[in-house]
Amino acid sequence: MADQLKSNPVKPSEITPKHVYLSRRDFIKAAGVLAGSMALTSCLPQTVEPPSASTADPAIAKKTDELGDPVNSFDDITHYNNYYEFTTAKEGVAGLAAKFKTSPWQVEVSGLVSQPRTFSVEELIKRYPPEERIYRLRCVEAWSMVIPWVGFPLAKLLQEVEPTSAAKYVRFETLFNPEEMPAQKEKWYPWPYQEGLRLDEARHDLTLLATGLYGGELPAQSGGGLRLVVPWKYGFKSIKAIVKIELTATQPATLWSTIQPGEYGFYANVNPQVDHPRWSQASERRIGELARRETLPFNGYAEQVAELYEGMDLRKNY
Ligand SMILES: Nc1nc2c(c(=O)[nH]1)N[C@H]1C(S)=C(S)[C@@H](COP(=O)(O)O)O[C@H]1N2
Ligand SMILES: [Mo]
């Protein structure tokens, strides 16, 4: 299993960006229509469906995670979202984020590093060959999905900026732009959204910076231009639309632990034995399934990450 889980590097040329894929489909359809009209054997009108994002690469739709669970549909992944900068209504995010500009996108890497720098996502994609990583995403609200991300390990970027020996944590910050993200005009959350990891967690090979999804670009509602994915932690750690990454000596504040310190801890490792104060975390609803599933320790990644927490009381360090 460890072997299968190892990153599955895909050459950039093997990942067909969705717009290329869709235009190829259009071409095939157009060719089909032409062939049909030339055959003259049928008087039936040819129907040409508009390309639909919901019919993402069928080859990817057939893939599974390393436990054998099928990936969720592109439609589920991009129309059932938590993104409080837009709305708290999951089905409403995609529509409100439709005009959000995810490109060009830049991220500033600063703090306790020898080589602070601002990178464009374009440059990051060129530097670090995109890999496909099929990960489970488990929200603290007890639903989950299997998502085929495209991205690169955060460790590669960290190596490039050279954290100093004083650096112990990494802090991430989402874009603050109330004109584009309407719910940021509301004052009840301490915007911008921020999150953090311990440096060893940030350097773990499973920790991904996502630049794409389902073999294509990263849709706005999924966190484009740049999004963190930490598959063994509750979904809220996987911060979207990152514009700042800062190396720090002390544990950074996070949005959720600031407003609900009793509910949301800094670590937030998926743990079926530690319930949320208001509900059980022992089981979950996989989007697209009827029966509930048992929640796995560290969301099924214990073999890879449990050693990061040796000697820690995971009930206290929730
Ligand atoms: N900036 C930002 N990042 C965020 C959130 C958010 O509201 N704002 N929601 C988090 C939560 S609670 C979850 S479960 C995941 C959801 O990711 P998805 O919508 O791609 O499934 O994003 C996380 N990242
Ligand atoms: Mo979540």
Side-chain angles (χ1 to χ4, degrees):
M1 160 167 154
D3 249 22
Q4 270 180 286
L5 234 178
K6 271 206 130 178
S7 59
N8 168 23
V10 184
K11 278 187 237 121
S13 60
E14 287 172 14
I15 294 179
T16 314
K18 191 154 292 115
H19 60 277
V20 175
Y21 164 71
L22 287 174
S23 52
R24 194 183 296 152
R25 275 178 10 134
D26 288 347
F27 173 75
I28 292 165
K29 275 191 186 139
V33 170
L34 193 66
S37 64
M38 285 192 306
L40 294 174
T41 50
S42 165
C43 309
L44 292 171
Q46 300 286 332
T47 53
V48 183
E49 296 159 66
S52 156
S54 61
T55 51
D57 190 340
I60 294 181
K62 285 201 195 88
K63 291 188 179 184
T64 66
D65 66 8
E66 83 289 359
L67 303 178
D69 294 331
V71 298
N72 279 87
S73 70
F74 183 78
D75 225 46
D76 281 347
I77 293 169
T78 56
H79 289 83
Y80 188 87
N81 299 104
N82 270 340
Y83 208 162
Y84 282 25
E85 285 86 341
F86 290 96
T87 171
T88 54
K90 293 175 182 32
E91 282 90 355
V93 175
L96 286 169
K99 283 197 195 125
F100 180 74
K101 248 189 122 203
T102 59
S103 167
W105 193 270
Q106 292 199 321
V107 61
E108 180 194 300
V109 190
S110 64
L112 301 171
V113 296
S114 310
Q115 312 287 336
R117 258 201 66 188
T118 297
F119 298 85
S120 72
V121 167
E122 263 183 338
E123 181 187 354
L124 294 174
I125 292 172
K126 278 196 197 123
R127 247 170 221 259
Y128 313 121
E131 302 175 19
E132 179 167 86
R133 300 277 188 108
I134 299 178
Y135 287 161
R136 294 170 290 287
L137 178 103
R138 168 59 158 85
C139 175
V140 76
E141 299 161 339
W143 55 266
S144 64
M145 292 204 205
V146 180
I147 305 183
W149 301 106
V150 176
F152 59 90
L154 170 62
K156 291 192 177 176
L157 180 58
L158 293 175
Q159 194 177 9
E160 182 116 15
V161 296
E162 299 173 17
T164 69
S165 58
K168 299 283 183 277
Y169 294 89
V170 188
R171 191 181 83 88
F172 304 85
E173 196 179 295
T174 294
L175 177 71
F176 182 71
N177 183 352
E179 291 314 309
E180 283 201 278
M181 296 173 144
Q184 285 181 334
K185 288 184 182 146
E186 315 293 353
K187 303 283 185 259
W188 52 75
Y189 291 109
W191 309 115
Y193 197 106
Q194 50 174 333
E195 258 306 336
L197 294 173
R198 222 168 53 190
L199 186 53
D200 59 339
E201 298 177 318
R203 281 180 164 147
H204 194 282
D205 181 63
L206 286 176
T207 304
L208 200 71
L209 279 176
T211 56
L213 189 66
Y214 248 98
E217 288 160 8
L218 190 60
Q221 64 268 37
S222 302
L226 189 65
R227 186 243 176 97
L228 181 71
V229 185
V230 194
W232 71 95
K233 292 179 180 282
Y234 290 118
F236 64 81
K237 298 295 287 184
S238 294
I239 179 173
K240 299 177 173 182
I242 301 167
V243 291
K244 258 190 206 170
I245 299 177
E246 186 190 357
L247 282 282
T248 64
T250 53
Q251 186 176 298
T254 71
L255 181 134
W256 295 113
S257 59
T258 302
I259 54 182
Q260 296 281 22
E263 295 189 8
Y264 303 101
F266 177 79
Y267 283 93
N269 294 314
V270 174
N271 190 340
Q273 294 180 341
V274 177
D275 289 337
H276 185 278
R278 288 180 281 131
W279 59 84
S280 164
Q281 294 290 24
S283 70
E284 67 200 54
R285 183 171 61 94
R286 176 70 46 85
I287 301 303
E289 292 181 359
L290 292 174
R292 288 182 80 85
R293 286 172 171 260
E294 261 178 50
T295 288
L296 304 172
F298 296 105
N299 203 21
Y301 302 96
E303 215 176 289
Q304 286 74 32
V305 301
E307 62 180 14
L308 295 172
Y309 309 101
E310 245 159 52
M312 272 179 67
D313 182 343
L314 294 176
R315 286 184 177 275
K316 278 200 193 125
N317 293 287
Y318 168 69

